[in-house]
């Protein structure tokens, strides 16, 4: 059974009014929020780029070469093949287009 006292309801109402009536942020703050959001998106996309690249290679390997598994069937096999053939930068191919998107 839920019991809410009148004092609790009045405190919640006071908190809501304080939040509602606080002054709105300036345009500079909005630009700062936009820049911070863009920066966090770039960091996230770049951190996920190696796994994204492996995923895309698995998706298209069936269309390449008559259905054979060019990059293998396991994630670790694909990672080692990419690293041995293309080096560390091979994991970040297509990352610029992904970040622009």
């Amino acid at each position: 059974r839920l019991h809410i006292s009148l004092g609790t309801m009045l405190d919640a109402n006071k908190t809501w009014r304080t939040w509602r009536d606080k002054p709105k942020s300036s345009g500079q703050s909005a630009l700062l929020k936009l820049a911070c959001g863009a920066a966090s998106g770039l960091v996230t996309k770049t951190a996920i780029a190696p796994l994204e690249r492996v995923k895309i290679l698995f998706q298209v390997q069936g269309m390449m070469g008559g259905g054979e598994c060019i990059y293998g069937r396991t994630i670790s096999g694909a990672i080692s093949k990419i690293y041995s053939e293309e080096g560390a930068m091979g994991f970040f191919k297509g990352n610029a287009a992904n970040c622009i998107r």
Side-chain angles (χ1 to χ4, degrees):
R1 177 175 132 146
L2 182 64
H3 177 70
I4 300 174
S5 68
L6 181 61
T8 304
M9 291 188 337
L10 290 176
D11 287 341
N13 190 20
K14 181 180 176 186
T15 303
W16 180 80
R17 274 198 249 153
T18 303
W19 176 80
R20 181 193 65 185
D21 296 337
K22 83 177 177 182
K24 304 295 181 212
S25 61
S26 65
Q28 184 180 11
S29 177
L31 288 176
L32 181 62
K33 288 179 184 178
L34 179 68
C36 288
S40 69
L42 289 173
V43 169
T44 303
K45 295 271 186 187
T46 302
I48 298 298
L51 294 176
E52 187 76 19
R53 170 105 162 122
V54 170
K55 179 191 80 162
I56 290 170
L57 289 174
F58 277 150
Q59 288 174 342
V60 299
Q61 79 177 349
M63 294 184 276
M64 300 166 36
E68 65 184 58
C69 294
I70 297 169
Y71 289 96
R73 296 183 186 272
T74 64
I75 293 173
S76 61
I79 288 173
S80 64
K81 183 162 177 114
I82 292 169
Y83 186 74
S84 66
E85 289 181 359
E86 302 174 30
M89 292 305 293
F91 293 111
F92 297 96
K93 279 188 177 178
N95 188 42
N98 198 17
C99 286
I100 291 171
R101 185 171 53 109

